[in-house]
mmCIF file of all heavy atoms in Angstrom:
data_model
loop_
_atom_site.group_PDB
_atom_site.id
_atom_site.type_symbol
_atom_site.label_atom_id
_atom_site.label_comp_id
_atom_site.label_asym_id
_atom_site.label_seq_id
_atom_site.Cartn_x
_atom_site.Cartn_y
_atom_site.Cartn_z
ATOM 1 N N ARG B 198 5.923 67.201 -20.016
ATOM 2 C CA ARG B 198 7.386 67.111 -20.168
ATOM 3 C C ARG B 198 7.895 65.686 -20.053
ATOM 4 O O ARG B 198 8.902 65.339 -20.653
ATOM 5 C CB ARG B 198 8.065 67.978 -19.105
ATOM 6 C CG ARG B 198 7.925 69.454 -19.395
ATOM 7 C CD ARG B 198 8.411 70.275 -18.227
ATOM 8 N NE ARG B 198 8.046 71.668 -18.391
ATOM 9 C CZ ARG B 198 7.890 72.517 -17.383
ATOM 10 N NH1 ARG B 198 8.077 72.113 -16.151
ATOM 11 N NH2 ARG B 198 7.553 73.761 -17.617
ATOM 12 N N SER B 199 7.223 64.880 -19.232
ATOM 13 C CA SER B 199 7.757 63.529 -19.018
ATOM 14 C C SER B 199 6.913 62.463 -19.711
ATOM 15 O O SER B 199 7.010 61.288 -19.362
ATOM 16 C CB SER B 199 7.864 63.249 -17.519
ATOM 17 O OG SER B 199 6.660 63.540 -16.883
ATOM 18 N N LEU B 200 6.117 62.868 -20.680
ATOM 19 C CA LEU B 200 5.267 61.899 -21.373
ATOM 20 C C LEU B 200 6.093 60.802 -22.042
ATOM 21 O O LEU B 200 5.641 59.665 -22.164
ATOM 22 C CB LEU B 200 4.399 62.622 -22.412
ATOM 23 C CG LEU B 200 3.184 61.851 -22.935
ATOM 24 C CD1 LEU B 200 2.218 61.509 -21.816
ATOM 25 C CD2 LEU B 200 2.468 62.645 -24.022
ATOM 26 N N GLY B 201 7.292 61.141 -22.458
ATOM 27 C CA GLY B 201 8.163 60.152 -23.094
ATOM 28 C C GLY B 201 8.526 59.005 -22.160
ATOM 29 O O GLY B 201 8.871 57.919 -22.610
ATOM 30 N N ARG B 202 8.441 59.262 -20.859
ATOM 31 C CA ARG B 202 8.805 58.211 -19.895
ATOM 32 C C ARG B 202 7.579 57.450 -19.393
ATOM 33 O O ARG B 202 7.696 56.567 -18.552
ATOM 34 C CB ARG B 202 9.539 58.836 -18.693
ATOM 35 C CG ARG B 202 10.884 59.445 -19.059
ATOM 36 C CD ARG B 202 11.731 59.672 -17.830
ATOM 37 N NE ARG B 202 11.153 60.641 -16.915
ATOM 38 C CZ ARG B 202 11.334 61.945 -17.032
ATOM 39 N NH1 ARG B 202 12.068 62.437 -18.007
ATOM 40 N NH2 ARG B 202 10.776 62.779 -16.171
ATOM 41 N N TYR B 203 6.414 57.824 -19.911
ATOM 42 C CA TYR B 203 5.183 57.183 -19.455
ATOM 43 C C TYR B 203 5.098 55.754 -19.976
ATOM 44 O O TYR B 203 5.309 55.500 -21.159
ATOM 45 C CB TYR B 203 3.974 58.003 -19.928
ATOM 46 C CG TYR B 203 2.672 57.286 -19.813
ATOM 47 C CD1 TYR B 203 2.195 56.866 -18.578
ATOM 48 C CD2 TYR B 203 1.915 56.985 -20.942
ATOM 49 C CE1 TYR B 203 1.004 56.188 -18.467
ATOM 50 C CE2 TYR B 203 0.727 56.308 -20.852
ATOM 51 C CZ TYR B 203 0.274 55.907 -19.611
ATOM 52 O OH TYR B 203 -0.896 55.221 -19.517
ATOM 53 N N ASP B 204 4.792 54.827 -19.072
ATOM 54 C CA ASP B 204 4.658 53.414 -19.424
ATOM 55 C C ASP B 204 3.204 53.172 -19.846
ATOM 56 O O ASP B 204 2.298 53.216 -19.010
ATOM 57 C CB ASP B 204 5.038 52.582 -18.183
ATOM 58 C CG ASP B 204 4.726 51.104 -18.354
ATOM 59 O OD1 ASP B 204 4.352 50.697 -19.464
ATOM 60 O OD2 ASP B 204 4.864 50.368 -17.361
ATOM 61 N N VAL B 205 2.993 52.909 -21.130
ATOM 62 C CA VAL B 205 1.617 52.816 -21.636
ATOM 63 C C VAL B 205 0.848 51.613 -21.101
ATOM 64 O O VAL B 205 -0.364 51.521 -21.298
ATOM 65 C CB VAL B 205 1.569 52.801 -23.189
ATOM 66 C CG1 VAL B 205 1.955 54.139 -23.760
ATOM 67 C CG2 VAL B 205 2.421 51.683 -23.754
ATOM 68 N N SER B 206 1.546 50.697 -20.419
ATOM 69 C CA SER B 206 0.805 49.571 -19.838
ATOM 70 C C SER B 206 0.073 50.002 -18.561
ATOM 71 O O SER B 206 -0.774 49.276 -18.051
ATOM 72 C CB SER B 206 1.759 48.418 -19.521
ATOM 73 O OG SER B 206 2.649 48.794 -18.489
ATOM 74 N N ARG B 207 0.402 51.191 -18.079
ATOM 75 C CA ARG B 207 -0.253 51.702 -16.862
ATOM 76 C C ARG B 207 -1.471 52.529 -17.208
ATOM 77 O O ARG B 207 -1.601 53.027 -18.328
ATOM 78 C CB ARG B 207 0.700 52.613 -16.079
ATOM 79 C CG ARG B 207 1.744 51.905 -15.300
ATOM 80 C CD ARG B 207 2.477 52.893 -14.419
ATOM 81 N NE ARG B 207 1.668 53.359 -13.302
ATOM 82 C CZ ARG B 207 2.038 54.335 -12.470
ATOM 83 N NH1 ARG B 207 3.185 54.931 -12.653
ATOM 84 N NH2 ARG B 207 1.261 54.695 -11.482
ATOM 85 N N SER B 208 -2.317 52.734 -16.222
ATOM 86 C CA SER B 208 -3.456 53.630 -16.395
ATOM 87 C C SER B 208 -2.929 55.068 -16.480
ATOM 88 O O SER B 208 -2.139 55.501 -15.635
ATOM 89 C CB SER B 208 -4.383 53.493 -15.191
ATOM 90 O OG SER B 208 -5.081 54.696 -14.955
ATOM 91 N N PHE B 209 -3.375 55.769 -17.516
ATOM 92 C CA PHE B 209 -2.931 57.155 -17.676
ATOM 93 C C PHE B 209 -3.425 58.006 -16.505
ATOM 94 O O PHE B 209 -2.711 58.875 -16.005
ATOM 95 C CB PHE B 209 -3.456 57.727 -18.996
ATOM 96 C CG PHE B 209 -2.937 59.102 -19.309
ATOM 97 C CD1 PHE B 209 -1.590 59.296 -19.601
ATOM 98 C CD2 PHE B 209 -3.778 60.199 -19.282
ATOM 99 C CE1 PHE B 209 -1.102 60.560 -19.879
ATOM 100 C CE2 PHE B 209 -3.294 61.470 -19.566
ATOM 101 C CZ PHE B 209 -1.956 61.653 -19.859
ATOM 102 N N ARG B 210 -4.643 57.709 -16.067
ATOM 103 C CA ARG B 210 -5.212 58.454 -14.938
ATOM 104 C C ARG B 210 -4.350 58.276 -13.691
ATOM 105 O O ARG B 210 -4.004 59.244 -13.015
ATOM 106 C CB ARG B 210 -6.628 57.936 -14.679
ATOM 107 C CG ARG B 210 -7.280 58.376 -13.387
ATOM 108 C CD ARG B 210 -8.625 57.682 -13.249
ATOM 109 N NE ARG B 210 -9.281 57.946 -11.984
ATOM 110 C CZ ARG B 210 -9.163 57.174 -10.911
ATOM 111 N NH1 ARG B 210 -8.379 56.110 -10.941
ATOM 112 N NH2 ARG B 210 -9.810 57.467 -9.809
ATOM 113 N N ASN B 211 -3.979 57.031 -13.416
ATOM 114 C CA ASN B 211 -3.170 56.780 -12.223
ATOM 115 C C ASN B 211 -1.801 57.435 -12.321
ATOM 116 O O ASN B 211 -1.238 57.886 -11.329
ATOM 117 C CB ASN B 211 -3.017 55.276 -11.989
ATOM 118 C CG ASN B 211 -4.337 54.647 -11.577
ATOM 119 O OD1 ASN B 211 -5.337 55.344 -11.402
ATOM 120 N ND2 ASN B 211 -4.354 53.339 -11.437
ATOM 121 N N TRP B 212 -1.288 57.449 -13.539
ATOM 122 C CA TRP B 212 0.018 58.098 -13.745
ATOM 123 C C TRP B 212 -0.097 59.601 -13.463
ATOM 124 O O TRP B 212 0.761 60.193 -12.797
ATOM 125 C CB TRP B 212 0.488 57.847 -15.177
ATOM 126 C CG TRP B 212 1.842 58.405 -15.488
ATOM 127 C CD1 TRP B 212 3.038 57.992 -14.980
ATOM 128 C CD2 TRP B 212 2.146 59.486 -16.388
ATOM 129 N NE1 TRP B 212 4.068 58.751 -15.521
ATOM 130 C CE2 TRP B 212 3.543 59.658 -16.390
ATOM 131 C CE3 TRP B 212 1.371 60.307 -17.208
ATOM 132 C CZ2 TRP B 212 4.191 60.624 -17.156
ATOM 133 C CZ3 TRP B 212 2.007 61.261 -17.981
ATOM 134 C CH2 TRP B 212 3.396 61.417 -17.950
ATOM 135 N N LEU B 213 -1.165 60.203 -13.955
ATOM 136 C CA LEU B 213 -1.384 61.633 -13.679
ATOM 137 C C LEU B 213 -1.555 61.878 -12.187
ATOM 138 O O LEU B 213 -1.014 62.836 -11.623
ATOM 139 C CB LEU B 213 -2.643 62.132 -14.398
ATOM 140 C CG LEU B 213 -2.539 62.517 -15.865
ATOM 141 C CD1 LEU B 213 -3.913 62.958 -16.376
ATOM 142 C CD2 LEU B 213 -1.539 63.641 -16.080
#
Side-chain angles (χ1 to χ4, degrees):
Chain B
R198 287 171 191 155
S199 51
L200 197 61
R202 295 197 296 275
Y203 166 61
D204 171 7
V205 290
S206 67
R207 283 188 72 187
S208 151
F209 186 68
R210 168 184 175 267
N211 291 356
W212 183 68
L213 278 179

